[in-house]
Amino acid sequence: DPKTKAIQRADLPCSGPQGMALAEGAVWVACTLDSVVLAVDAATLTVRHTVPVEGSPDTVVVAQGRPVVIAEDGPTVVILDPTTGAVVQRLPLSDAAPLGDRANLDAVVVGDRVWVSSYREGMVYAVPLPF
């Protein structure tokens, strides 16, 4: 709670919560084991959207105001609509299998690119946005 500084808790209806990012007043949470991304209202802690994302979503960043999810299979870049939660774009970067340890990927947005690390492949992708 920003006013009282008290810690609040949200019980999430998913397994394996991983990466998180803030967009449009919601905390977007990648739930790796359930292959969904949740949009949790930052004020009320209620779930606004549950978005199926194939391939074990692992990391979430925000680019151009939209949640960008990196799924382990590939890796794959998935862009979501921040208002509806709908999948807007999906771009597989390779066909590498996930490691299955729930912590394979990372991403950062710099300008008009999302940089995606792939542990299994030992490489970093620079993906121009929008793709």
Side-chain angles (χ1 to χ4, degrees), residues 35-59:
S35 290
V36 299
V37 174
L38 302 178
V40 179
D41 188 285
T44 66
L45 301 181
T46 59
V47 175
R48 287 185 191 172
H49 306 290
T50 301
V51 184
V53 175
E54 292 178 29
S56 301
D58 187 56
T59 302

Side-chain angles (χ1 to χ4, degrees), residues 10-45:
D11 291 319
L12 298 178
C14 74
S15 300
Q18 290 293 313
M20 301 184 299
L22 182 66
E24 294 293 321
V27 178
W28 295 80
V29 182
C31 300
T32 304
L33 297 180
D34 290 339
S35 290
V36 299
V37 174
L38 302 178
V40 179
D41 188 285
T44 66
L45 301 181

